[in-house]
């Protein structure tokens, strides 16, 4: 054991070292002040970035933290990517279920390790392909799924007990999940074996994305119904993917994405606890989804700060005792909003850097955008390049060999600390605004995001931020053209024929019976998942189920904000 004298000497040596470092930094600042700097904004998504970071800017707690230990700043697994690489999960869907099934089989044959379903806009809003409001939009921005029949076709020949599936759906998420579960039953797969995620994050829809069906309170009830039912029946299924992606795409800063998304997550936890659920029964299946933007180091720091904040809140505020409840597991996607129509080949480079940031930040799953996604749905060739980008990262660069390789970097540690402080300050503002639900109803979140988006657009227009090929390095010659995938009227025609055939084959009396049973369950406090699943098994359509719930819950109407 060290003596008191030895401890005192150690403290004096540390103080001397800090004094020496401060003197060196002061001297550097003087030299820096005499130099010339470029006339651009040296900022990340919101703040000016210092030209140098040293140990004076960081905390010391990270020195003793290792991956796989609370609060998981450096990652949730001790083995990191040496144990298992991230899941390469390319977001895909277009036209009919038949066409998208072929794309999935192509991606799996090329080495993709998980599926991610992109739905068209009518499906996102809960409308069938043959509904009048779907006209002209069927299959255009994703795959059209209107019933169990479509879901069966979508996964025909793809064993659902061996492939994990992510579904980006929110307003009618509970319905699409039940279609998927019923399709698995048709394959003979026990529900307990299903692995995957349904996004199911309705709060960020009211905040940023605007694909909703029901008012806030009944929508939250449906989410907690899934927490409760899936904990027992599909224990390997992630019941929600709490999404910062769309908040960032709408124009937020990194700190706002971090804080607003985590605040949504805390709200879901509180609603589950209020239902009487044990937090450790449902929290281990909550997952997250982050946008990976252009500022390389800020994005890495954001992911590290997110893990730390989530772990501390779940343990210290919500009383979670299971370490799995403390661990933030997340999917990442490169930033669609950063893709440019001019010089589209530049998008390959942007995506590669963003994908690298996601991996260095410790993502469990990754989608890399295709170069053509700002112009149209991605072609098979463009998707292959995007997937190969991930494979080069995984197998050629060496970044998967070491856990949290930027841990200890003065800049990354300082940014991690700063983003955590910024998020905590925003949590206080959210509380002052009355919490997440009240803040949404009053437009508080929507205004903050709009203000941030306007500022960022001004910076681009004033050339304070350079976007290569857009406001700088613009070429006069004819733009490079690349093949594009266009979805014609044929997809809608095929879907309408398929729906007519399905309606002719099903038992209409059973359909009416199941829909009425769902209405009765929705009027009370009964968990509605079994009733929606029964509707799915009877081939009730997406809109029929939505309409039955809307008869009870009503429809959401967005307030007007100024």
């Amino acid at each position: 054991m060290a003596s008191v004298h030895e401890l005192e000497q150690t403290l004096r040596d540390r103080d001397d070292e800090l004094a020496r470092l401060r003197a060196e930094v002061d001297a550097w600042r003087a030299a820096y002040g005499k130099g010339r700097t470029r006339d651009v904004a040296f900022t990340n998504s919101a703040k000016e970035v210092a030209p140098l970071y040293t140990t004076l800017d960081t905390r010391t707690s990270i020195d003793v933290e290792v991956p796989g230990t609370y609060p998981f700043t450096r990652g949730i697994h001790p083995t990191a990517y040496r144990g298992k690489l991230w899941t390469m999960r390319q977001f895909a869907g277009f036209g009919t279920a038949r066409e998208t099934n072929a794309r999935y089989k192509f991606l799996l044959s090329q080495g993709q390790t998980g599926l991610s379903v992109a739905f068209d806009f009518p499906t996102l809003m809960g409308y069938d392909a043959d509904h009048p409001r779907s006209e002209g939009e069927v299959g255009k921005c994703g795959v059209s799924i209107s019933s169990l029949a479509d879901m069966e076709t979508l996964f025909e020949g793809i064993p659902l007990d061996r492939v994990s599936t992510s579904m980006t759906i929110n307003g009618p998420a509970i319905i699409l999940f039940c279609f998927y579960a019923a399709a698995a039953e048709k394959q003979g797969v026990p529900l307990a074996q299903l692995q995957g995620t349904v996004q199911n994050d309705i709060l960020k829809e009211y905040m940023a994305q605007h694909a909703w069906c029901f008012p806030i309170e009944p929508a939250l009830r449906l989410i907690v119904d899934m927490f409760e039912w899936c904990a027992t029946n599909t224990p390997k299924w992630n019941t929600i993917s709490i999404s910062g992606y769309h908040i960032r795409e709408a124009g937020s800063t990194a700190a706002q994405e971090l804080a607003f998304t985590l605040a949504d997550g805390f709200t879901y936890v509180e609603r589950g606890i209020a239902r009487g659920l044990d937090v450790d029964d449902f929290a281990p299946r909550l997952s997250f989804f982050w946008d990976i933007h252009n500022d390389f180091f800020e994005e890495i720091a954001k992911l590290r700060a997110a893990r730390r904040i989530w772990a501390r809140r779940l343990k210290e505020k919500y009383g979670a005792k299971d370490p799995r409840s403390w661990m933030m597991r997340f999917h990442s996607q490169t930033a669609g909003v950063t893709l440019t129509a001019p010089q589209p080949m530049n998008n390959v480079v942007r995506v590669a850097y963003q994908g690298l940031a996601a991996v260095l930040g410790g993502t469990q799953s990754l989608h890399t955008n295709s170069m053509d996604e700002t112009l149209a749905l991605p072609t098979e060739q463009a998707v292959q390049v995007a997937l190969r980008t991930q494979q080069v990262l995984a197998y050629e660069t060496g970044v998967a060999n070491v856990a949290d390789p930027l841990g200890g970097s003065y800049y990354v540690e300082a940014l991690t600390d700063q983003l955590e402080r910024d998020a905590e300050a925003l949590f206080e503002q959210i509380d002052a605004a009355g919490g997440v639900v009240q803040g949404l109803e009053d437009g508080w979140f929507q205004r903050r995001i709009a203000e941030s988006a306007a500022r960022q657009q001004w910076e681009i227009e004033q050339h304070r931020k350079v976007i290569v090929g857009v406001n700088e390095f613009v070429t006069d010659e004819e733009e490079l053209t690349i093949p594009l995938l266009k979805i014609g009227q044929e997809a809608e025609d095929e879907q309408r024929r398929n729906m007519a055939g399905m309606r002719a084959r099903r038992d209409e009396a059973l359909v009416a019976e199941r829909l009425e049973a769902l209405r009765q369950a929705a009027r009370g406090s009964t968990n509605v998942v079994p009733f929606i699943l029964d509707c799915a098994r009877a081939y009730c359509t997406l809109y029929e189920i939505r309409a039955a719930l809307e008869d009870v819950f009503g429809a959401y109407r967005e307030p007007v904000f100024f």
Side-chain angles (χ1 to χ4, degrees):
M1 179 180 292
S3 67
V4 173
H5 175 74
E6 289 172 329
L7 290 173
E8 289 176 344
Q9 185 59 48
T10 298
L11 290 173
R12 283 194 294 271
D13 291 344
R14 188 194 66 178
D15 291 342
D16 290 344
E17 177 64 20
L18 289 174
R20 182 193 62 77
L21 180 56
R22 289 190 182 96
E24 289 183 0
V25 170
D26 288 343
W28 168 82
R29 290 187 193 282
Y32 177 83
K34 295 176 182 178
R36 297 180 60 185
T37 59
R38 292 177 291 121
D39 184 23
V40 296
F42 295 102
T43 60
N44 50 35
S45 64
K47 295 184 176 181
E48 185 175 351
V49 176
L52 178 70
Y53 289 82
T54 71
T55 191
L56 298 174
D57 300 294
T58 65
R59 306 186 315 185
T60 57
S61 60
I62 194 68
D63 294 342
V64 295
E65 188 180 326
V66 294
T69 61
Y70 177 88
F72 307 106
T73 310
R74 306 197 68 187
I76 62 174
H77 298 303
T79 55
Y81 296 133
R82 285 196 176 204
K84 182 180 183 294
L85 285 171
W86 64 92
T87 301
M88 299 179 193
R89 193 187 299 278
Q90 291 301 108
F91 189 47
F94 62 91
T96 66
R98 175 185 55 79
E99 292 171 299
T100 300
N101 174 265
R103 174 64 64 86
Y104 288 165
K105 289 175 177 174
F106 168 78
L107 288 168
L108 290 170
S109 74
Q110 296 299 307
Q112 180 167 304
T113 53
L115 296 176
S116 183
V117 184
F119 296 100
D120 68 1
F121 197 63
T123 306
L124 292 174
M125 298 300 293
Y127 292 107
D128 295 339
D130 57 0
H131 191 282
R133 290 193 175 184
S134 300
E135 186 174 353
E137 292 294 332
V138 175
K140 291 294 176 67
C141 65
V143 63
S144 173
I145 301 294
S146 299
S147 74
L148 169 59
D150 290 330
M151 195 67 82
E152 291 176 271
T153 301
L154 185 65
F155 292 102
E156 183 179 352
I158 299 173
L160 297 184
D161 55 345
R162 302 210 305 266
V163 172
S164 70
T165 303
S166 173
M167 293 187 285
T168 301
I169 192 82
N170 294 284
I174 195 170
I175 307 173
L176 272 296
F177 167 76
C178 288
F179 287 167
Y180 186 85
E185 289 179 328
K186 288 280 188 176
Q187 288 189 4
V189 176
L191 294 182
Q193 292 185 18
L194 292 184
Q195 297 183 65
T197 305
V198 65
Q199 191 164 99
N200 201 24
D201 177 8
I202 199 61
L203 292 176
K204 63 88 179 170
E205 292 297 326
Y206 303 120
M207 195 179 295
Q209 179 89 334
H210 296 180
W212 50 60
C213 296
F214 313 114
I216 295 177
E217 288 300 333
L220 287 170
R221 171 197 167 172
L222 295 178
I223 289 171
V224 180
D225 279 358
M226 278 199 64
F227 290 174
E228 183 177 48
W229 188 87
C230 291
T232 300
N233 296 280
T234 55
K236 296 181 180 180
W237 187 267
N238 298 324
T239 51
I240 194 168
S241 178
I242 305 158
S243 176
Y245 188 86
H246 305 95
I247 295 170
R248 190 67 179 279
E249 293 285 291
S252 78
T253 66
Q256 288 172 333
E257 179 192 1
L258 179 63
F260 295 175
T261 306
L262 286 167
D264 287 349
F266 301 149
T267 301
Y268 295 128
V269 169
E270 290 163 2
R271 291 306 179 100
I273 293 171
R275 172 73 65 90
L277 305 179
D278 186 314
V279 66
D280 287 321
D281 286 343
F282 69 89
R285 303 318 300 176
L286 307 184
S287 64
F288 283 79
F289 174 24
W290 299 107
D291 191 305
I292 309 299
H293 219 272
N294 273 340
D295 194 289
F296 185 76
F297 293 105
E298 184 179 41
E299 295 307 301
I300 297 166
K302 178 185 74 182
L303 301 179
R304 300 170 90 249
R307 280 193 295 267
R308 182 193 293 171
I309 297 169
W310 181 254
R312 287 180 175 158
R313 283 290 181 109
L314 266 290
K315 182 180 181 181
E316 297 174 7
K317 181 172 182 178
Y318 299 114
K321 296 179 176 60
D322 187 342
R324 295 179 306 152
S325 299
W326 310 335
M327 297 178 186
M328 172 183 283
R329 298 165 301 109
F330 58 84
H331 172 72
S332 301
Q333 181 175 336
T334 56
V337 74
T338 67
L339 302 179
T340 63
Q343 302 178 25
M345 291 293 288
N346 294 345
N347 295 329
V348 177
V349 182
R350 292 185 178 99
V351 166
Y353 287 132
Q354 292 166 6
L356 177 58
V359 170
L360 292 174
T363 193
Q364 278 70 62
S365 173
L366 178 61
H367 165 90
T368 36
N369 289 332
S370 300
M371 71 179 86
D372 52 358
E373 287 191 45
T374 192
L375 300 165
L377 291 170
T379 63
E380 196 169 274
Q381 180 184 27
V383 165
Q384 186 179 56
V385 171
L387 177 58
R388 294 288 183 258
T389 301
Q390 293 202 48
Q391 292 164 337
V392 170
L393 272 174
Y395 298 106
E396 296 186 22
T397 64
V399 296
N401 293 342
V402 178
D404 189 33
L406 292 182
S409 156
Y410 299 137
Y411 183 31
V412 170
E413 297 298 351
L415 267 178
T416 302
D417 295 345
Q418 182 61 59
L419 283 166
E420 182 179 12
R421 289 193 296 271
D422 290 346
E424 292 292 347
L426 284 166
F427 294 152
E428 292 181 3
Q429 293 179 33
I430 293 167
D431 288 343
V436 170
V437 172
Q438 187 64 53
L440 289 170
E441 291 174 343
D442 293 342
W444 185 89
F445 289 97
Q446 296 92 321
R447 285 191 291 271
R448 300 291 85 74
I449 295 170
E451 289 163 2
S452 172
R455 177 186 56 77
Q456 293 178 61
Q457 182 62 32
W458 178 86
E459 289 176 344
I460 293 170
E461 292 172 355
Q462 298 300 312
H463 291 235
R464 300 295 291 165
K465 278 189 179 275
V466 172
I467 308 298
V468 174
V470 175
N471 63 356
E472 294 287 352
F473 312 109
V474 179
T475 53
D476 293 330
E477 63 266 20
E478 185 176 344
E479 288 289 345
L480 174 69
T481 58
I482 56 177
L484 298 178
L485 174 63
K486 298 291 187 182
I487 305 300
Q489 181 63 30
E490 298 83 6
E492 183 169 335
D493 294 341
E494 181 177 336
Q495 280 297 89
R496 287 177 175 271
R497 288 194 299 271
N498 290 341
M499 291 205 70
M502 181 274 296
R503 291 182 193 276
R505 293 189 300 271
R506 69 183 186 175
D507 183 337
E508 291 295 338
L510 181 62
V511 166
E513 176 186 315
R514 295 281 173 86
L515 290 171
E516 182 54 31
L518 174 59
R519 291 187 190 93
Q520 292 302 324
R523 290 190 180 100
S525 58
T526 304
N527 191 306
V528 299
V529 175
F531 297 89
I532 298 176
L533 190 53
D534 279 344
C535 288
R537 291 165 178 149
Y539 292 91
C540 300
T541 70
L542 173 62
Y543 182 71
E544 287 169 343
I545 299 171
R546 173 198 157 142
L549 291 170
E550 196 172 305
D551 287 344
V552 180
F553 297 152
Y556 181 69
R557 298 290 182 266
E558 184 179 26
V560 177
F561 305 116
F562 295 95

Short mmCIF file of all heavy atoms in Angstrom, two decimals, residues 59-79:
data_model
loop_
_atom_site.label_atom_id
_atom_site.label_comp_id
_atom_site.label_asym_id
_atom_site.label_seq_id
_atom_site.Cartn_x
_atom_site.Cartn_y
_atom_site.Cartn_z
N ARG A 59 -12.56 14.14 -19.32
CA ARG A 59 -12.69 13.59 -17.99
C ARG A 59 -11.71 12.44 -17.84
O ARG A 59 -11.10 12.00 -18.81
CB ARG A 59 -14.12 13.07 -17.77
CG ARG A 59 -15.17 14.11 -18.05
CD ARG A 59 -16.56 13.64 -17.70
NE ARG A 59 -16.84 12.29 -18.17
CZ ARG A 59 -18.05 11.73 -18.04
NH1 ARG A 59 -19.01 12.37 -17.45
NH2 ARG A 59 -18.26 10.51 -18.48
N THR A 60 -11.57 11.94 -16.63
CA THR A 60 -10.63 10.85 -16.39
C THR A 60 -11.31 9.50 -16.23
O THR A 60 -10.65 8.47 -16.23
CB THR A 60 -9.81 11.13 -15.12
OG1 THR A 60 -10.70 11.30 -14.02
CG2 THR A 60 -8.96 12.37 -15.27
N SER A 61 -12.65 9.49 -16.11
CA SER A 61 -13.34 8.22 -15.82
C SER A 61 -13.17 7.21 -16.94
O SER A 61 -13.17 6.00 -16.69
CB SER A 61 -14.83 8.49 -15.59
OG SER A 61 -15.42 9.08 -16.74
N ILE A 62 -13.02 7.67 -18.20
CA ILE A 62 -12.90 6.74 -19.31
C ILE A 62 -11.63 5.91 -19.20
O ILE A 62 -11.53 4.83 -19.77
CB ILE A 62 -12.95 7.51 -20.65
CG1 ILE A 62 -13.17 6.55 -21.83
CG2 ILE A 62 -11.69 8.31 -20.86
CD1 ILE A 62 -14.51 5.90 -21.84
N ASP A 63 -10.63 6.39 -18.44
CA ASP A 63 -9.36 5.68 -18.37
C ASP A 63 -9.52 4.26 -17.84
O ASP A 63 -8.73 3.38 -18.15
CB ASP A 63 -8.38 6.45 -17.49
CG ASP A 63 -7.99 7.79 -18.10
OD1 ASP A 63 -8.20 7.96 -19.31
OD2 ASP A 63 -7.48 8.66 -17.36
N VAL A 64 -10.52 4.03 -17.01
CA VAL A 64 -10.67 2.72 -16.39
C VAL A 64 -11.86 1.94 -16.95
O VAL A 64 -12.17 0.86 -16.46
CB VAL A 64 -10.84 2.86 -14.85
CG1 VAL A 64 -9.58 3.42 -14.24
CG2 VAL A 64 -12.04 3.73 -14.51
N GLU A 65 -12.51 2.47 -17.99
CA GLU A 65 -13.66 1.76 -18.57
C GLU A 65 -13.21 0.88 -19.73
O GLU A 65 -12.38 1.29 -20.55
CB GLU A 65 -14.72 2.75 -19.05
CG GLU A 65 -16.01 2.05 -19.48
CD GLU A 65 -17.07 3.02 -19.97
OE1 GLU A 65 -17.15 4.14 -19.45
OE2 GLU A 65 -17.83 2.63 -20.88
N VAL A 66 -13.76 -0.32 -19.79
CA VAL A 66 -13.47 -1.23 -20.89
C VAL A 66 -14.79 -1.65 -21.53
O VAL A 66 -15.86 -1.55 -20.92
CB VAL A 66 -12.71 -2.48 -20.39
CG1 VAL A 66 -11.32 -2.10 -19.89
CG2 VAL A 66 -13.49 -3.21 -19.31
N PRO A 67 -14.74 -2.12 -22.79
CA PRO A 67 -15.99 -2.53 -23.46
C PRO A 67 -16.69 -3.65 -22.71
O PRO A 67 -16.06 -4.52 -22.11
CB PRO A 67 -15.50 -3.00 -24.83
CG PRO A 67 -14.21 -2.29 -25.04
CD PRO A 67 -13.59 -2.19 -23.69
N GLY A 68 -18.02 -3.60 -22.74
CA GLY A 68 -18.81 -4.63 -22.10
C GLY A 68 -19.09 -4.38 -20.64
O GLY A 68 -19.69 -5.22 -19.97
N THR A 69 -18.68 -3.21 -20.13
CA THR A 69 -18.93 -2.88 -18.73
C THR A 69 -19.72 -1.57 -18.64
O THR A 69 -19.57 -0.69 -19.48
CB THR A 69 -17.62 -2.74 -17.93
OG1 THR A 69 -16.82 -1.68 -18.49
CG2 THR A 69 -16.83 -4.03 -17.96
N TYR A 70 -20.56 -1.49 -17.64
CA TYR A 70 -21.37 -0.30 -17.38
C TYR A 70 -20.47 0.92 -17.25
O TYR A 70 -19.42 0.84 -16.62
CB TYR A 70 -22.16 -0.55 -16.09
CG TYR A 70 -23.01 0.61 -15.64
CD1 TYR A 70 -24.30 0.76 -16.10
CD2 TYR A 70 -22.50 1.55 -14.75
CE1 TYR A 70 -25.09 1.82 -15.69
CE2 TYR A 70 -23.28 2.62 -14.33
CZ TYR A 70 -24.56 2.75 -14.80
OH TYR A 70 -25.34 3.80 -14.39
N PRO A 71 -20.82 2.09 -17.84
CA PRO A 71 -22.06 2.39 -18.58
C PRO A 71 -21.95 2.21 -20.09
O PRO A 71 -22.69 2.83 -20.83
CB PRO A 71 -22.30 3.86 -18.23
CG PRO A 71 -20.92 4.43 -18.14
CD PRO A 71 -20.06 3.34 -17.55
N PHE A 72 -21.02 1.40 -20.55
CA PHE A 72 -20.95 0.95 -21.94
C PHE A 72 -20.59 2.04 -22.93
O PHE A 72 -20.93 1.96 -24.11
CB PHE A 72 -22.28 0.29 -22.36
CG PHE A 72 -22.71 -0.81 -21.43
CD1 PHE A 72 -23.78 -0.61 -20.56
CD2 PHE A 72 -22.05 -2.02 -21.40
CE1 PHE A 72 -24.17 -1.60 -19.67
CE2 PHE A 72 -22.44 -3.01 -20.52
CZ PHE A 72 -23.50 -2.82 -19.66
N THR A 73 -19.87 3.06 -22.47
CA THR A 73 -19.39 4.09 -23.40
C THR A 73 -18.61 3.46 -24.54
O THR A 73 -18.72 3.86 -25.71
CB THR A 73 -18.50 5.11 -22.67
OG1 THR A 73 -19.16 5.56 -21.50
CG2 THR A 73 -18.14 6.28 -23.57
N ARG A 74 -17.82 2.44 -24.22
CA ARG A 74 -16.91 1.85 -25.20
C ARG A 74 -17.50 0.63 -25.91
O ARG A 74 -16.79 -0.05 -26.65
CB ARG A 74 -15.58 1.49 -24.52
CG ARG A 74 -14.94 2.67 -23.79
CD ARG A 74 -13.49 2.43 -23.50
NE ARG A 74 -12.72 2.41 -24.73
CZ ARG A 74 -11.42 2.08 -24.81
NH1 ARG A 74 -10.77 1.73 -23.71
NH2 ARG A 74 -10.79 2.10 -25.96
N GLY A 75 -18.78 0.38 -25.71
CA GLY A 75 -19.43 -0.73 -26.39
C GLY A 75 -20.09 -1.69 -25.42
O GLY A 75 -19.71 -1.76 -24.25
N ILE A 76 -21.07 -2.44 -25.91
CA ILE A 76 -21.85 -3.30 -25.02
C ILE A 76 -21.30 -4.72 -24.92
O ILE A 76 -21.69 -5.46 -24.03
CB ILE A 76 -23.34 -3.35 -25.46
CG1 ILE A 76 -23.49 -3.94 -26.86
CG2 ILE A 76 -23.96 -1.97 -25.37
CD1 ILE A 76 -24.94 -4.15 -27.27
N HIS A 77 -20.39 -5.10 -25.84
CA HIS A 77 -19.86 -6.46 -25.82
C HIS A 77 -18.36 -6.45 -25.55
O HIS A 77 -17.62 -5.70 -26.20
CB HIS A 77 -20.13 -7.16 -27.15
CG HIS A 77 -21.57 -7.32 -27.49
ND1 HIS A 77 -22.46 -7.96 -26.66
CD2 HIS A 77 -22.30 -6.90 -28.57
CE1 HIS A 77 -23.67 -7.94 -27.21
NE2 HIS A 77 -23.59 -7.30 -28.36
N PRO A 78 -17.87 -7.30 -24.67
CA PRO A 78 -16.42 -7.35 -24.41
C PRO A 78 -15.61 -7.70 -25.66
O PRO A 78 -14.50 -7.21 -25.84
CB PRO A 78 -16.29 -8.45 -23.35
CG PRO A 78 -17.63 -8.53 -22.70
CD PRO A 78 -18.62 -8.20 -23.77
N THR A 79 -16.17 -8.56 -26.52
CA THR A 79 -15.43 -9.00 -27.71
C THR A 79 -15.60 -8.06 -28.90
O THR A 79 -14.90 -8.23 -29.92
CB THR A 79 -15.89 -10.40 -28.13
OG1 THR A 79 -17.32 -10.39 -28.32
CG2 THR A 79 -15.54 -11.44 -27.07
#
